[in-house]
Amino acid sequence: MFAYILRRVLLIIPTLLGIMIINFIVIQFAPGGPVEQLIAEMRGNSVDATAAFAGQEGDFQSSGQEQQAAGAGEDSKYRGAQGLDPEIIKEIEQQFGFDKPMHVRFFTMLKDYARFDFGDSYFRDQSVVELVFDKMPVSISLGLWTTLLVYLISIPLGIRKAVSDGSRFDVWSSGVIVIGYAIPGFLFAILLIVLFAGGRYLDWFPLRGLTSSNWAELGTFEKIVDYFWHITLPVLAMVISGFASLTMLTKNSFLDQINMQYVQTARAKGLSEGQVLYGHVFRNAMLIVIAGFPSAFIGILFTGSILIEVIFSLDGLGRLGWEATINRDYPVVFATLYFFTLLGLLLQLIGDIMYHVIDPRIDFESRNF
């Protein structure tokens, strides 16, 4: 098992490198980079203006206005840069590091990332590491509670559906699952806001943030109540849209095992249905469910929470990544991509190790990876 783990750890390096290369190349061809963002802000055309360069912007603007006539009509590779002094454009490029060739910027980034030096945000007066750690508690809260509830609901429900396959319970619960699978989580979030957050009917839950404005003044028990009061609707929206696929996966996995010959043999020996189900079937059927845990956790923790965080005004990693992408804040975009990819690859490895822990008969050493 150790040799397999070592091989998988070594494979993380080229996999991570390939993902970073592809995304770095794609980003280079995306219009509206940070240089264009600052140029648009200088001209007053930016809709997502950021404050990090406010002081420098004033210097650029005054210098640009003085030399606008001289520079007017000159060609520029940046949209909206016509009329600005080329020296100003060069200074902006140097500020963002865009005065260097693409391959030099990429290898510099990899060198820094190998030392876990993610640099500073272009448009926020903070380092990327500080930003990620500031936003992480919100996303972890959503991810952990959603994952916990999804598994607590889906696994018992999937087992019940497998045991009572074809019954009325199986039919009507499948209808609920189809609805949950078909409707995106952000639509459920909007519906919950309309129904329970003062949108049109009831005003039971708050609409913004994870804590109240007087959080610091509350006692311990009141803080716990306030926290769950705020997180209820976001987590509920993510659970409703997330439990469907895992429930069907659990059901189908148990159905496959229930029809195996060893189950019939166990029943013939006089074992009860509970002993057969949880003593024999459960361990084998849960393998595929555990294998899907890393991808499910990553999807819930990072991908699935983006729109939920935006809708409920939660200041988490999903919203941070969204705003960084819109504003072309490349250090934040690439650092979060690097972190999430590395975490996802490590969780995939943990999932394989759990295979062996649950069923020691699974031997990865004898297979070529």
Side-chain angles (χ1 to χ4, degrees):
M1 191 65 184
F2 176 78
Y4 169 77
I5 294 174
L6 181 62
R7 287 196 300 269
R8 286 292 302 272
V9 170
L10 293 176
L11 278 173
I12 287 177
I13 299 174
T15 304
L16 186 60
L17 180 63
I19 293 173
M20 296 299 294
I21 289 174
I22 293 173
N23 283 274
F24 187 85
I25 293 174
V26 170
I27 285 292
Q28 304 311 306
F29 294 99
V35 176
E36 291 175 309
Q37 290 277 345
L38 188 54
I39 290 172
E41 187 178 342
M42 290 166 57
R43 290 190 172 278
N45 298 327
S46 176
V47 291
D48 292 314
T50 46
F53 289 88
Q56 299 170 15
E57 177 191 339
D59 297 335
F60 287 147
Q61 276 187 319
S62 59
S63 177
Q65 289 169 355
E66 293 172 0
Q67 305 182 45
Q68 184 170 354
E74 289 197 31
D75 293 333
S76 175
K77 62 182 178 180
Y78 299 109
R79 183 175 56 189
Q82 287 76 13
L84 290 178
D85 181 21
E87 292 300 320
I88 295 178
I89 304 300
K90 289 182 181 179
E91 189 173 348
I92 297 174
E93 287 180 329
Q94 291 176 358
Q95 197 164 3
F96 290 116
F98 278 74
D99 57 323
K100 301 174 183 176
M102 183 174 68
H103 68 279
V104 174
R105 287 187 279 119
F106 178 73
F107 285 112
T108 301
M109 182 184 71
L110 289 184
K111 180 182 177 181
D112 292 338
Y113 283 13
R115 296 181 287 111
F116 289 94
D117 179 9
F118 300 110
D120 298 323
S121 168
Y122 283 160
F123 302 111
R124 296 170 183 255
D125 191 20
Q126 279 185 282
S127 69
V128 174
V129 173
E130 289 177 351
L131 280 172
V132 170
F133 278 104
D134 284 347
K135 314 301 182 184
M136 190 176 290
V138 174
S139 294
I140 289 180
S141 292
L142 289 176
L144 288 179
W145 286 115
T146 302
T147 304
L148 177 63
L149 291 176
V150 164
Y151 271 76
L152 287 177
I153 294 172
S154 299
I155 292 178
L157 181 59
I159 295 174
R160 172 71 186 279
K161 286 175 65 62
V163 172
S164 57
D165 184 42
S167 66
R168 296 180 65 180
F169 171 81
D170 182 43
V171 172
W172 72 258
S173 60
S174 294
V176 175
I177 289 173
V178 168
I179 294 174
Y181 186 79
I183 302 179
F186 71 90
L187 287 182
F188 276 119
I190 295 173
L191 177 63
L192 291 173
I193 289 173
V194 171
L195 294 178
F196 302 111
R200 187 171 181 180
Y201 297 99
L202 303 173
D203 190 8
W204 289 353
F205 295 95
L207 186 58
R208 303 173 63 88
L210 278 186
T211 57
S212 299
S213 57
N214 62 337
W215 167 263
E217 303 172 4
L218 301 177
T220 302
F221 178 75
E222 293 172 324
K223 286 183 176 179
I224 295 174
V225 173
D226 183 76
Y227 167 76
F228 283 106
W229 182 46
H230 281 78
I231 206 173
T232 296
L233 292 188
V235 169
L236 185 59
M238 295 175 67
V239 168
I240 290 175
S241 60
F243 84 102
S245 57
L246 183 60
T247 299
M248 295 308 299
L249 178 65
T250 304
K251 176 191 174 181
N252 293 332
S253 178
F254 271 80
L255 279 178
D256 289 340
Q257 294 298 320
I258 287 174
N259 294 324
M260 292 288 184
Q261 182 62 44
Y262 76 90
V263 175
Q264 305 300 325
T265 303
R267 287 171 175 165
K269 290 181 178 179
L271 297 180
S272 66
E273 284 297 314
Q275 290 175 319
V276 172
L277 186 63
Y278 294 102
H280 294 75
V281 175
F282 186 83
R283 184 177 66 177
N284 296 326
M286 286 301 295
L287 285 174
I288 191 171
V289 177
I290 291 173
F293 174 78
S295 59
F297 181 75
I298 289 293
I300 290 172
L301 184 57
F302 302 119
T303 308
S305 64
I306 292 178
L307 290 178
I308 299 298
E309 289 181 9
V310 172
I311 291 171
F312 288 98
S313 299
L314 302 175
D315 201 11
L317 289 174
R319 186 178 174 186
L320 174 66
W322 169 267
E323 293 177 350
T325 303
I326 296 300
N327 293 325
R328 302 297 191 269
D329 196 346
Y330 291 162
V332 177
V333 171
F334 286 119
T336 51
L337 174 67
Y338 178 87
F339 175 74
F340 296 161
T341 304
L342 180 61
L343 181 60
L345 293 171
L346 291 175
L347 285 175
Q348 290 287 351
L349 175 59
I350 293 174
D352 288 346
I353 295 174
M354 289 303 298
Y355 260 132
H356 181 74
V357 171
I358 293 176
D359 191 348
R361 295 173 299 175
I362 297 177
D363 182 18
F364 291 106
E365 298 287 353
S366 61
R367 304 176 67 179
N368 295 321
F369 289 94

